Amino acid sequence: MIERTRQIKLMAQAIAEAQSGAGEGEVPVGAVVVGRGTDGADGVILAAARNRPIALNDPTAHAEMLALRQAGAALGAYRLDGAALFVTLEPCVMCVGAMVHARIAELYFGARDEKAGALGSVYDIGRDGRLNHRIEVYGGMMESECAALLRDFFRSRRGSD
């Protein structure tokens, strides 16, 4: 498990990514992948991304998916053994499936997604014992800040206070 002070810094970076996404008109979700770098150093930021399905015309361009792709490219491998992913919103089924395939070891998320969350809210795929990989899940990190980003974004889109 990553040390608490470092966890907070990494989630703050994911929040900054989400804020950038909101500024681009995307749903504000940000993600950061941390793991062992190509030089063998641990705790290296391998990727940081934000939601971009609108900009890329790609329904799979969730922050988590883009961060996993970037991390794989940085390492030259699709398996990210031992890596941790920080994301501002509980991931969906698609994203958790990709995390299982990538062998993400730890997932830290902010706000729960009661409509589509796949790590405890609606489903619990990452901890399903029937799969070939399990993810250690730590939910609710900086939850109020992450939830506020989403609430404020959708409130502004509706034009209400």
Side-chain angles (χ1 to χ4, degrees):
M1 178 186 268
I2 297 170
E3 190 266 324
R4 183 69 177 165
T5 304
R6 178 88 167 126
Q7 290 175 15
I8 292 167
K9 287 179 182 176
L10 292 164
M11 185 59 81
Q13 186 169 347
I15 289 170
E17 284 289 333
Q19 290 167 330
S20 294
E24 297 168 357
E26 301 278 3
V27 174
V29 178
V32 174
V33 177
V34 177
R36 178 162 296 154
T38 55
D39 63 357
D42 238 348
V44 174
I45 294 175
L46 301 172
R50 59 189 165 274
N51 266 4
R52 301 203 63 223
I54 297 167
L56 298 176
N57 298 309
D58 179 356
T60 70
H62 291 191
E64 304 94 320
M65 298 294 284
L66 296 174
L68 291 172
R69 289 177 191 147
Q70 288 173 22
L75 294 177
Y78 77 97
R79 293 271 168 91
L80 306 174
D81 290 315
L85 190 141
F86 289 77
V87 63
T88 57
L89 180 65
E90 180 182 356
C92 70
V93 170
M94 172 184 71
C95 293
V96 176
M99 287 177 224
V100 168
H101 285 290
R103 304 296 192 266
I104 292 294
E106 298 175 351
L107 183 281
Y108 299 82
F109 72 83
R112 297 197 178 281
D113 186 344
E114 300 298 335
K115 294 181 181 176
L119 287 170
S121 291
V122 178
Y123 303 104
D124 202 356
I125 296 168
R127 294 181 284 207
D128 188 321
R130 295 171 292 182
L131 299 176
N132 62 345
H133 178 71
R134 290 174 57 97
I135 301 168
E136 288 297 320
V137 178
Y138 306 97
M141 174 173 272
M142 298 175 73
E143 185 171 12
S144 60
E145 295 93 326
C146 294
L149 276 172
L150 291 158
R151 185 179 55 251
D152 294 348
F153 175 80
F154 286 113
R155 188 175 287 157
S156 73
R157 303 289 279 193
R158 288 189 296 259
S160 61
D161 301 57

